[in-house]
Amino acid sequence: MGIGILQHINIRTGDLTGTVKFWEEAIGLKDGDRPNFQFPGAWLYSGDEAVMHLIDVSGMDETALTETGCIDHVAFAAEGFEAFKTQLKAQSYEFEERIVPGGRLWQLFVRDPNGVLCELNFEVATEAA
């Protein structure tokens, strides 16, 4: 028995277009190949990995979840702290900036159209080099 890395996150959304736009523009994921399921959605990639699965519930008898339940946030390792800040400001996304106690990580927090909080973590040693 064993466990590997987290493979993907799934978001049920009533705004597929806006959600794809956010994760592509603000975070840098790429909309890519997705199996031909019998329901609409999208898979967003980080490199070769489909890390974000989206299900479009706008045409279903189901509703999108407007709260994230007990999940607080999704976190990604990132590079280019200042570039991300500039990009988020230019796209008018509100974000919060933090320094982890001890000073090893800089963080940015931004919400997607569904209220999902995204945490971006930047290694200070790499960013300051």
Side-chain angles (χ1 to χ4, degrees), residues 19-36:
T19 302
V20 169
K21 180 181 176 185
F22 169 83
W23 289 100
E24 282 190 313
E25 283 185 0
I27 306 304
L29 299 181
K30 300 293 180 211
D31 192 4
D33 290 334
R34 176 180 178 262
N36 190 20

Side-chain angles (χ1 to χ4, degrees), residues 76-91:
F76 290 97
E79 296 177 348
F81 183 73
E82 292 299 328
F84 262 101
K85 288 192 329 184
T86 299
Q87 175 179 291
L88 292 170
K89 286 178 189 175
Q91 296 167 341

Side-chain angles (χ1 to χ4, degrees), residues 64-85:
L65 302 175
T66 56
E67 301 199 17
T68 59
C70 64
I71 303 296
D72 183 69
H73 64 273
V74 175
F76 290 97
E79 296 177 348
F81 183 73
E82 292 299 328
F84 262 101
K85 288 192 329 184

